[in-house]
């Protein structure tokens, strides 16, 4: 039945005592024995077994015979198809009563299919074991309770135990770190409960004390029906990778901070697609708000004259296997200007040398280029200056052991200009007696600890001419940290100076007296400067006061003048009162005129004039003013030069000086007026600040009076200073003289001694090439009147002065409009095209009269303009002279003066 079923392929009975084996036909076929022709022995059967299995078969049979009982063994036999197949022999060793083996029956079973399955299983298991052992890190499987089922070598190393020690145990039973064990088991339980794969990082402590970070991938372990029966996992040690990532992040952070900290425009060019990433410096340096661009965009923003050169140079480095590239070019800013830049880049290449990326930085050289140009210009100026002077500079480059000497410095060592020099030439050229001292001074200057000033005087012996010279040298060391890189300075040939040392020694004996003289002269000059500054400050003050006075006087004189025309001819008392008021107003006007003269802000009408004729023409006036007990004498120089001055103001000056001379001679005496040509040299001009050397016309007024002490002379020109008793003088006479002379570009000087009289000298600049003479005559004319069709616009910010002007012009027959400022005046001009004359004050808030006139004339060119002012503030008067084409009437003015001046402007006379 066994044979029929196919499970057993043959049977045998081995008679051990006779070594005869009886087999059936199936077994013969199984062993490939063929028909039995003789009794088979055990050796015959074993001989038909696969040669590789025969030894094991003999050993197995021997063991079975020796032990007795059941026998099982597997081996290969050749079948009918000549292929080897696996069979399993099963038998039983029988013994006799004495225990001696006597027979060995058995059957042979075909296990080829089973063997193939087992071999496949063994291969799979071997492959799995190989894979598990080959996988880096830890590979393991656990059941639902967390007990380890399998583990690889990494598991052994992690746990520090053999598989026999950890299989079937949980992490809590094996790990010494209970916190770590709990964390692992909680994660495992979570994954088995969720049924989902997870990847997580776990901190691991090895038994030897090492710490590591593992990247674990864990998944549920399922049976054939899909039920979760445990957990499988694999863990890799990523400690080095994490450290590398941290290092990479640190490097990236440093790169980012460096990119932020630097003023360079950092760029990163990806070669595969031409994409370029920039840092923020692209915005701050060049004004572009994008942080990404293409390489073509960058190339298109290079100056057209530089573009081809830069494109060729950078691709030469990229295409020819180079790594570093640098170039200078011009780069277009967002505002349309070009910046000079220095660009540097490094090519990053792949394993095969292919270019992958290029990283670089653009440095804006615009400021540096400007600085270099300025430095070059400065160095050129220094070179020209040193060549033009007796100074020679020197520069010692300690880093490169270089000595830079220009021709002048070489000459101090007797070396020709074209001959190269070194520090050896310097030391060799020093006089032996000065060499050590000079060397020590140089070493101290180059010593970072001392950094002394190199200031030494030494002798040189000419290398080529043998001449001994004295040289004074001064210099400083230039340091970079604790290292001196250069020592630079200047040298002067002081041979001539040392030759005159003896003469200087003799002169030094007289030094004290010379110093005293110099100090006295300096004190005198300082006093003169302080006096000049004081007079200037007082002049500014008096000018402002005069302005306010003139406005107030204009509001007094005008109404009085208008009131005269309305008086009853028979009211003599009222007329007398008005005459008294007018006389007081005129005196106040003269006072303000003197203030303006002192402050050099009065309007002058300078002319080319002959001072001799002017003095001669004043003789009768002077004689009348001086009185009978004062003798007048004039000494007029022949061939007197012409001067350029206001004749009326000059007459006032001479008259003032003559009256002052008269007042200084209470008992009578002599006043002398003298003219002369004179030349003030540089020495005199240097001793009197504010005076230009040159030719002057001198007018001197001298008296034989009591004279003035020095303290009175120092204050004589101060406004309101007087030595006369109260009521006899205002203290403005000499102040007016001072202001007029200074305003005319001249100079005034007082010479006086107590008891010996006083001389006041007035110096007025000579008029070069002037031939015209001034012949002014005052004509008395009737009161000119206007016509109704002539319209005058009065512009004045002072209400009272404006009202007086409006009333006066209306009285004269004109049609009058008024405005309190420039803005209102311009509006009236727009709507009143018939305005003939603009009569405007000069000093007004916001827009002054001159600016108003300029705007009006720009719009209405044929408009006539007449200015009025008590103080011009240089709006229409510069250096004391009216601007060309300007007409002016000074406050306060009378009705007659206003009438005449208006007609002159309207008629162009």
């Amino acid at each position: 039945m066994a044979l029929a079923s196919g499970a057993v392929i043959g049977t045998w009975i081995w008679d051990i005592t006779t070594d005869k084996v009886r087999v059936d036909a199936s077994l013969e076929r199984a062993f490939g024995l063929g028909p039995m022709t003789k009794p088979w022995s055990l050796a015959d059967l074993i001989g038909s077994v696969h040669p590789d299995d025969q030894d094991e078969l003999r050993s197995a049979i021997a063991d079975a015979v020796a032990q007795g009982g059941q026998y099982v063994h597997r081996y290969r036999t050749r079948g009918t198809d000549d292929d080897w197949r696996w069979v399993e022999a099963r038998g039983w060793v029988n013994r006799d009563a004495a225990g001696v083996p006597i027979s060995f029956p058995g059957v042979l079973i075909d296990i080829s299919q089973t063997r193939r399955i087992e071999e496949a299983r063994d291969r799979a298991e071997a492959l799995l074991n190989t894979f598990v052992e080959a996988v880096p890190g830890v590979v393991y499987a656990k059941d639902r309770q967390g007990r380890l089922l399998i583990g690889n070598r990494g598991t052994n190393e992690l746990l520090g135990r053999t598989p026999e020690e950890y299989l079937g145990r949980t992490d809590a039973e094996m790990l010494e770190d209970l916190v770590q064990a709990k964390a692992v088991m909680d994660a495992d339980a979570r994954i088995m409960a969720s049924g989902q794969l997870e990847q997580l990082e776990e901190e691991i402590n090895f038994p030897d004390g090492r710490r590591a970070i593992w990247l674990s991938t864990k998944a549920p372990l399922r049976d054939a029906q899909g039920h979760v029966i445990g957990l499988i996992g694999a863990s890799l040690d990523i400690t080095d990778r994490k450290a590398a990532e941290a290092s990479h992040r640190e490097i990236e952070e440093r790169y980012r901070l460096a990119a932020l900290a630097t003023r360079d425009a950092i760029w990163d060019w990806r070669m595969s697609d031409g994409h370029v990433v920039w840092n923020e410096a692209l915005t701050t340096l060049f004004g572009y708000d994008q942080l990404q661009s293409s390489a073509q965009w960058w190339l298109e923003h290079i100056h057209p004259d530089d573009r081809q050169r830069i494109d060729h140079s950078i691709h030469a480095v990229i295409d020819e296997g180079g790594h570093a590239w640098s170039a200078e070019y011009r780069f277009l800013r967002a505002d349309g200007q070009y910046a000079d830049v220095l660009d540097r880049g490094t090519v990053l290449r792949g394993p095969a040398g292919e270019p992958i990326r290029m990283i670089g930085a653009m440095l804006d050289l615009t400021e540096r280029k400007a600085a270099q140009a300025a430095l070059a210009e400065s160095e050129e100026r220094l070179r020209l200056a040193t060549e033009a002077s007796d100074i020679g500079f020197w520069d010692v480059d300690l880093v490169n052991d270089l000595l830079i000497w220009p021709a002048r410095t070489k000459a101090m060592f007797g070396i020709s200009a074209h001959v190269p020099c070194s520090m050896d030439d310097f030391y060799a050229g020093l006089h032996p007696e000065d060499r050590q001292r000079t060397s020590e001074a140089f070493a101290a200057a180059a010593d970072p600890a001392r950094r002394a000033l190199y200031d030494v005087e030494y002798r040189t012996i000419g290398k080529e001419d043998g001449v001994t010279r004295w040289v004074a040298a001064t210099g400083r060391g230039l340091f970079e940290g604790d290292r001196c890189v250069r020592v630079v300075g200047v040298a002067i040939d002081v041979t001539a100076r040392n030759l005159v040392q003896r003469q200087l020694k003799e002169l030094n004996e007289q030094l004290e007296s010379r110093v005293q003289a110099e100090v006295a002269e300096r004190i005198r000059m300082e006093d003169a400067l302080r006096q000049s500054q004081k007079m200037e400050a007082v002049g500014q003050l008096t000018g402002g006061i005069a302005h306010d006075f003139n406005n107030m006087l204009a509001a007094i004189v005008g109404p009085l003048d208008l009131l005269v025309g309305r008086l009853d001819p028979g009211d003599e008392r009222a007329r007398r009162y008005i005459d008294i008021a007018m006389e007081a107003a005129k005196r106040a006007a003269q006072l303000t005129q003197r203030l303006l003269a002192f402050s050099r802000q009065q309007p002058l009408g300078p002319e080319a004039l002959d001072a001799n004729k002017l003095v001669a023409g004043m003789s009768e006036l002077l004689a009348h003013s001086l009185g009978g007990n004062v003798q007048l004498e004039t000494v007029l120089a022949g061939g007197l030069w012409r001067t350029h001055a206001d004749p009326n103001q000059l007459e006032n000056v001479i008259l003032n000086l003559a009256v002052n001379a008269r007042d200084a001679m209470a008992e009578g005496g002599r006043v002398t007026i003298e003219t002369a040509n004179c030349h003030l040299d540089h020495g005199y001009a240097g001793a009197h600040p504010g005076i230009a050397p040159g030719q002057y016309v001198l007018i001197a007024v001298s008296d034989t009076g009591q004279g003035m002490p020095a303290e009175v002379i120092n204050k004589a020109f101060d406004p309101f200073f007087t030595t006369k008793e109260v009521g006899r003088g205002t203290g403005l006479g000499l102040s007016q003289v001072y202001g007029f002379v200074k305003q005319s570009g001249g100079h005034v000087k007082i010479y006086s001694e107590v008891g010996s009289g006083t001389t006041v000298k007035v110096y007025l600049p000579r008029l070069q090439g002037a031939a015209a003479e001034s012949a002014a005559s005052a004509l008395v004319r009737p009161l000119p009147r206007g016509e109704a069709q002539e319209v005058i616009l009065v512009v004045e910010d002072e209400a009272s002065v404006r009202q007086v002007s409006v009333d006066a012009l209306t009285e004269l027959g004109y049609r009058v409009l008024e405005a309190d400022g420039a803005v209102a005046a311009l509006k009236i001009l727009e709507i009143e095209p018939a305005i003939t004359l603009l009569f405007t004050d000069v000093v007004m808030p916001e827009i002054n009269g001159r600016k108003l006139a300029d705007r009006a004339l720009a719009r209405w060119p044929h408009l006539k303009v007449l200015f009025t002012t008590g103080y011009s503030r240089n709006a229409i008067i510069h250096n004391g002279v009216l601007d060309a084409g300007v007409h002016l009437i000074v406050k306060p003015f009378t009705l007659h003066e206003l009438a005449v001046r208006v007609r002159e402007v309207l008629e162009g006379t």
Side-chain angles (χ1 to χ4, degrees), residues 580-600:
I580 293 172
M582 286 292 288
E583 181 64 24
K586 289 179 180 179
R587 290 177 61 191
Q590 291 175 355
L591 178 63
T592 57
Q593 188 64 24
R594 289 181 176 182
L595 288 172
L596 286 173
F598 169 73
S599 63
R600 284 170 279 168

Side-chain angles (χ1 to χ4, degrees), residues 226-346:
H227 300 138
V228 177
I229 60 174
L231 178 103
I232 58 173
S235 299
L236 291 174
D237 188 347
I238 60 171
T239 306
D240 293 339
R241 190 182 79 183
K242 296 290 286 186
E245 289 177 351
S247 176
H248 181 67
R249 287 194 299 271
E250 182 180 359
I251 292 172
E252 286 187 339
E253 180 64 12
R254 288 177 180 174
Y255 173 78
R256 187 185 68 83
L257 294 176
L260 291 175
T262 183
R263 295 186 69 245
D264 291 1
I266 308 297
W267 48 267
D268 188 343
W269 177 13
R270 190 168 60 207
M271 298 292 183
S272 60
D273 57 4
H275 184 69
V276 181
V277 178
W278 302 83
N279 70 340
E280 290 79 357
L282 183 68
T283 301
T284 57
L285 290 179
F286 306 112
Y288 298 106
D289 55 2
Q290 74 261 34
L291 296 180
Q292 299 184 28
S293 73
S294 65
Q296 185 63 29
W297 177 89
W298 164 75
L299 189 62
E300 290 172 353
H301 283 70
I302 296 176
H303 193 285
D305 296 343
D306 302 336
R307 191 174 300 155
Q308 183 176 359
R309 171 175 59 85
I310 298 303
D311 189 24
H312 175 75
S313 68
I314 196 169
H315 280 93
V317 173
I318 295 171
D319 298 340
E320 296 175 10
H323 290 280
W325 168 82
S326 66
E328 290 188 17
Y329 56 87
R330 289 161 291 179
F331 188 73
L332 181 64
R333 300 181 190 270
D335 60 6
Q337 301 296 320
Y338 280 95
D340 292 305
V341 300
L342 170 63
D343 207 347
R344 299 90 70 206
T346 300

Side-chain angles (χ1 to χ4, degrees), residues 679-689 691 747-749 751 763:
H679 179 82
L680 301 182
D681 59 17
H682 287 80
Y684 185 88
H688 297 81
I691 304 172
H747 170 56
V748 58
K749 182 70 174 177
Y751 300 89
Y763 300 87

Side-chain angles (χ1 to χ4, degrees), residues 722 724-732:
T722 180
K724 300 176 182 178
E725 61 270 18
V726 177
R728 290 200 58 195
T730 63
L732 288 174

Side-chain angles (χ1 to χ4, degrees), residues 51 214 286 289 362 398 640 690 758 785 848:
W214 291 81
F286 306 112
D289 55 2
M362 292 170 57
L398 297 177
L640 187 68
T758 300
R785 304 187 65 83
N848 63 35

Side-chain angles (χ1 to χ4, degrees), residues 164-232:
E164 291 76 10
E165 294 177 294
Y166 64 76
L167 291 179
R169 303 177 67 186
T170 66
D171 293 287
E173 295 171 335
M174 292 178 296
L175 298 178
E176 296 180 0
D177 189 340
L178 298 180
V179 175
Q180 176 181 325
K182 183 177 184 306
V184 173
M185 293 188 71
D186 289 345
D188 293 347
R190 183 181 67 251
I191 294 170
M192 287 187 288
S194 67
Q196 300 295 322
L197 179 144
E198 285 191 21
Q199 192 174 66
L200 62 158
E201 292 183 4
E202 297 176 310
E203 291 188 4
I204 302 300
N205 298 322
F206 284 91
D208 59 4
R210 291 183 295 123
R211 298 179 62 86
I213 300 176
W214 291 81
L215 177 64
S216 298
T217 303
K218 298 182 179 183
L221 178 62
R222 302 178 186 273
D223 60 12
Q225 289 74 35
H227 300 138
V228 177
I229 60 174
L231 178 103
I232 58 173

